[in-house]
Amino acid sequence: MKSQRIVFAILLSALFCSTSLAQGRFHTGDPRPVIIIEGGTVVTMNKDRRIVENGAVVVRGDTIEFVGKRSEIPVLFRGRAKTIDATGKVVIPGLINTHTHVPMSLFRGISDDLDLNDWLTKYIFPAEAKNVDEAFVRAGTRLGLAEMIRGGTTTYCDMYYFEDAIADETKKAGMRGVLGETIIDFPVADNKTFDQAMTYGERFVRKWKNDPLIVPALAPHAPYTVSTEHLLAIKKLSDSLNAAIVIHVAETKKERDDILAQKGATPVNYLNRIGFLNDRVIAAHTVFVTEDEIDILKSKGVGAAHNPQSNMKLASGTAPVPMMLSKNLAVGLGTDGAASNNDVDMWEEIDTAAKLHKLISGDPKTLPAEQAFEMATIRGARALHIDTITGSIETGKRADIAIVDLNSLHQTPMYNVYSHLVYATKASDVRTVIINGQIVMLDRVLLTLNESAIKRDANAYRIKIINSLSK
Ligand SMILES: [Zn+2]
């Protein structure tokens, strides 16, 4: 009798333990809201590149709690969840735009068909000097954010002035951002001296450091616009704050040649020599880099942002992306500012990157679709040093997700999902977007931004900008 009781007790405790373990994994008492996305093709971009047909993703609070078959959704989530039917659609990690100057959306199309030097010095710098203030930055940021969310982008990396206002607008819109306050060796809209810029930068980083959406960064503009002394001071400040650094590197041949003449080394070698490079640095463009320099970037853990359309439009050159990928460098895709693109549409960037490098290499096997899509998702997250929290649909990661239609004419018929995502899908096919567990666009309606007010503000700035340049 006694032994029977012991056996019964063991069985009972085993049953109790296994039940509590199973439920414990999903924290049954957790009161946070639950969203179930079910019925779509889930392209996870996890390590195994798992794709789940008739799949499901369960989000609780800001976190992905379950990824799997629709038939396997844990029953405890049912009945208390908002359900999004993704049947016939594809569920993807939100896209990651690794390089922007988001307020420059207000300069979209202000001048085209010029090289970087003429474009910057004759148009962009004067237009900025006459127009950029905090209100301009806020209006331009809202415009850029609305365009990005509409196109399924859930994270972007920015570099501009009044970055504190950009962070504020970004948080209000519910977008994730790695945001860098620009520091440059001439007086600009928000800071007139280097010391002012450093004070602003430090205050900015301290203010946003633990925000769930914003990763604050310092953004020295480029090796050719910031002195060695100032680059070293910025590096020291970033070390003390453990802050990311965003910087343009080796964008043009002129930059490469000038830095070589002035510093006795090419941009990456120069930055390495002064001890500037580490695993918190995000280098935009890296067009004129050699194999040795790619090895330096890789060994220092630097992330790179490839901006194919901006580089093409300014005829800057073609970054050696296939070589970067062959060395497993963390290189993502970016649009650059809308003034040199002229949009912030990541779908165009993915498509362009995949095709550009085939043309340059003369080999159509270069940068296949899956690899191009990886650059816009998990590899882009690596480039921004935030791949532990975003870039793929995996249990435990933040819920940054886009749901994309697959039934438009230009997507019909479908044979391969990566092929369609890279070569056929448009930004207008994105239906619903979730960032950090919050639905920011539902069935193509923006929920955190007012689209008509954004357009009205932008058109008012157009007139103001035209008037400012005619004076
Ligand atoms: Zn840029």
Side-chain angles (χ1 to χ4, degrees):
M1 190 65 190
K2 194 178 171 190
S3 65
Q4 272 180 326
R5 265 209 308 267
I6 290 168
V7 170
F8 181 71
I10 289 169
L11 280 173
L12 193 69
S13 65
L15 186 72
F16 181 76
C17 282
S18 66
T19 309
S20 64
L21 275 177
Q23 297 204 338
R25 198 183 140 215
F26 295 112
H27 315 288
T28 46
D30 191 329
R32 292 176 299 167
V34 175
I35 302 169
I36 297 178
I37 304 163
E38 59 181 330
T41 300
V42 182
V43 176
T44 64
M45 298 311 286
N46 75 354
K47 226 163 110 248
D48 305 325
R49 298 290 179 265
R50 183 183 181 202
I51 293 176
V52 190
E53 297 293 349
N54 201 11
V57 180
V58 178
V59 174
R60 174 152 49 187
D62 59 5
T63 306
I64 296 169
E65 295 259 354
F66 170 85
V67 184
K69 285 276 184 197
R70 181 182 206 171
S71 57
E72 294 166 355
I73 298 171
V75 77
L76 65 95
F77 291 122
R78 292 285 185 194
R80 44 175 297 214
K82 176 177 176 56
T83 300
I84 298 174
D85 184 4
T87 305
K89 300 177 173 58
V90 61
V91 182
I92 61 167
L95 303 179
I96 297 188
N97 188 342
T98 58
H99 186 60
T100 64
H101 310 281
V102 68
M104 294 184 83
S105 293
L106 292 176
F107 293 135
R108 191 195 312 271
I110 191 174
S111 73
D112 299 306
D113 312 328
L114 295 168
D115 68 33
L116 179 68
N117 199 46
D118 281 351
W119 178 76
L120 272 180
T121 56
K122 291 183 184 163
Y123 292 90
I124 296 301
F125 288 156
E128 285 184 336
K130 288 174 179 164
N131 293 286
V132 175
D133 58 16
E134 189 180 320
F136 172 99
V137 161
R138 285 184 182 274
T141 299
R142 289 193 293 268
L143 174 61
L145 288 174
E147 187 188 347
M148 283 194 275
I149 290 173
R150 272 202 159 287
T153 295
T154 55
T155 297
Y156 77 116
C157 177
D158 196 66
M159 171 201 280
Y160 209 62
Y161 312 108
F162 298 101
E163 203 70 35
D164 183 57
I166 295 173
D168 186 47
E169 294 295 338
T170 302
K171 188 173 173 65
K172 282 184 195 157
M175 179 77 132
R176 192 181 303 289
V178 177
L179 308 178
E181 166 66 14
T182 297
I183 304 174
I184 194 164
D185 281 355
F186 53 81
V188 288
D190 54 352
N191 293 299
K192 304 303 167 198
T193 66
F194 177 73
D195 288 346
Q196 275 178 15
M198 290 291 276
T199 303
Y200 184 112
E202 179 170 358
R203 201 173 46 220
F204 170 67
V205 171
R206 287 190 191 281
K207 177 176 169 184
W208 292 98
K209 199 147 188 30
N210 297 310
D211 192 88
L213 285 170
I214 310 298
V215 178
L218 301 169
H221 176 264
Y224 65 95
T225 47
V226 183
S227 70
T228 308
E229 184 196 344
H230 288 172
L231 285 174
L232 288 174
I234 293 162
K235 164 75 166 52
K236 199 169 158 207
L237 179 61
S238 89
D239 285 346
S240 72
L241 298 168
N242 197 28
I245 290 183
V246 183
I247 181 170
H248 295 110
V249 179
E251 182 175 1
T252 62
K253 184 172 180 300
K254 178 174 164 41
E255 174 189 342
R256 197 259 320 261
D257 294 349
D258 288 354
I259 295 291
L260 184 59
Q262 291 160 21
K263 314 287 183 188
T266 54
V268 170
N269 278 307
Y270 157 66
L271 291 172
N272 189 39
R273 191 183 70 201
I274 66 170
F276 188 82
L277 302 177
N278 64 27
D279 60 5
R280 297 191 313 272
V281 173
I282 300 153
H285 299 302
T286 53
V287 172
F288 288 88
V289 291
T290 62
E291 183 169 359
D292 289 349
E293 289 172 300
I294 294 170
D295 288 338
I296 290 170
L297 294 173
K298 171 75 180 153
S299 70
K300 295 290 175 182
V302 173
H306 174 46
N307 304 270
Q309 291 203 341
S310 173
N311 294 157
M312 289 165 73
K313 187 158 181 279
L314 295 164
S316 298
T318 312
V321 169
M323 191 190 290
M324 292 174 184
L325 291 169
S326 75
K327 292 172 181 289
N328 198 21
L329 186 73
V331 55
L333 293 175
T335 57
D336 210 348
S340 64
N341 188 303
N342 292 355
D343 55 41
V344 286
D345 179 344
M346 281 293 291
W347 297 95
E348 288 190 7
E349 230 55 48
I350 302 169
D351 183 55
T352 302
K355 290 171 180 165
L356 171 65
H357 295 284
K358 295 178 198 332
L359 179 70
I360 296 294
S361 66
D363 179 0
K365 294 189 285 301
T366 304
L367 205 43
E370 184 181 324
Q371 202 171 29
F373 193 67
E374 174 196 285
M375 289 180 75
T377 53
I378 187 62
R379 195 176 286 270
R382 269 182 63 202
L384 301 186
H385 313 297
I386 53 171
D387 52 308
T388 55
I389 63 164
T390 191
S392 58
I393 299 180
E394 293 182 77
T395 305
K397 279 198 169 182
R398 305 281 179 83
D400 295 349
I401 295 166
I403 303 170
V404 183
D405 275 337
L406 275 178
N407 65 352
S408 61
L409 286 172
H410 55 259
Q411 293 169 310
T412 307
M414 187 185 84
Y415 299 97
N416 177 288
V417 72
Y418 288 120
S419 165
H420 259 38
L421 289 170
V422 171
Y423 299 121
T425 298
K426 316 284 178 202
S428 56
D429 297 317
V430 177
R431 281 215 77 78
T432 292
V433 177
I434 297 170
I435 305 175
N436 209 45
Q438 182 187 8
I439 302 173
V440 292
M441 182 169 82
L442 185 64
D443 281 329
R444 296 212 52 73
V445 177
L446 293 175
L447 302 182
T448 57
L449 290 157
N450 182 335
E451 202 167 326
S452 54
I454 286 168
K455 285 197 228 172
R456 188 190 61 221
D457 291 348
N459 285 321
Y461 268 107
R462 172 186 168 272
I463 296 165
K464 187 173 178 291
I465 290 163
I466 290 170
N467 290 339
S468 79
L469 289 177
S470 64
K471 280 172 197 157

